[in-house]
Amino acid sequence: MMSNDMKEKISGSISVEDLEDDTAQQLLLFLYTDYLEDLQWETATKLYCAADKYQIEKLRLICSSFLIENLSVPTATELLLLSDTHGDSDLQNVVENFILEHDEQVFCSGEWENIMGANPQLAMKIKHLKYKTKKFGK
């Protein structure tokens, strides 16, 4: 962008409009220092999305690890949607296994009702996995 005759070169700046200020700040901090400060769930999900979009693999893996370590019944459906949206099969497998281990709690939650509305195919896939594991012990 800065080497070709593009608006970024002409203006001398790159506008990143899809990131909130705090996410952009954390992203830049990581790029310059290889360090993340006080990572929380919401920040980790936003940084995961940014890392995936801008192909910052190390940051994506750090955020993914944090999200897995902090996975809970209330956050399981959010992480399932996130992993599906970003095509992260490794993360999605972890979340699917978590949901299958905590199926009654997850399936009876308001969050699960939301996923059935937001992405019924994904919800159906998980229910099918539950049926297969129950019926065939896989």
Side-chain angles (χ1 to χ4, degrees):
M1 286 182 199
M2 299 302 274
S3 60
N4 295 322
D5 288 330
M6 299 181 83
K7 70 178 182 177
E8 291 82 6
K9 180 180 179 186
I10 295 166
S11 70
S13 66
I14 298 172
S15 178
V16 182
E17 297 174 6
D18 62 337
L19 296 179
E20 295 176 7
D21 290 346
D22 59 330
T23 306
Q25 185 175 2
Q26 287 277 32
L27 178 65
L28 288 172
L29 176 69
F30 179 79
L31 290 173
Y32 283 106
T33 65
D34 210 29
Y35 174 75
L36 290 174
E37 287 182 348
D38 191 31
L39 198 56
Q40 300 294 319
W41 183 270
E42 186 177 345
T43 306
T45 59
K46 290 175 183 178
L47 283 171
Y48 175 90
C49 294
D52 186 51
K53 179 177 182 175
Y54 295 107
Q55 300 176 355
I56 307 167
E57 186 63 18
K58 184 175 181 181
L59 178 59
R60 189 185 67 78
L61 290 172
I62 290 169
C63 292
S64 178
S65 294
F66 174 87
L67 294 167
I68 290 168
E69 289 172 15
N70 292 280
L71 182 57
S72 65
V73 170
T75 61
T77 55
E78 178 185 358
L79 195 54
L80 180 65
L81 285 170
L82 183 74
S83 64
D84 184 64
T85 300
H86 290 273
D88 188 337
S89 59
D90 293 334
L91 181 57
Q92 189 164 353
N93 287 334
V94 171
V95 179
E96 288 172 356
N97 289 332
F98 178 89
I99 291 172
L100 294 177
E101 289 174 16
H102 301 87
D103 59 326
E104 288 184 27
Q105 295 167 298
V106 174
F107 294 153
C108 293
S109 70
E111 291 86 1
W112 188 256
E113 289 182 25
N114 293 338
I115 200 172
M116 288 189 305
N119 194 331
Q121 285 185 311
L122 185 57
M124 190 169 40
K125 176 188 172 194
I126 302 300
K127 287 284 194 163
H128 180 73
L129 286 173
K130 178 60 184 171
Y131 175 77
K132 280 175 50 176
T133 58
K134 185 176 181 180
K135 183 159 178 113
F136 302 111
K138 291 184 180 179

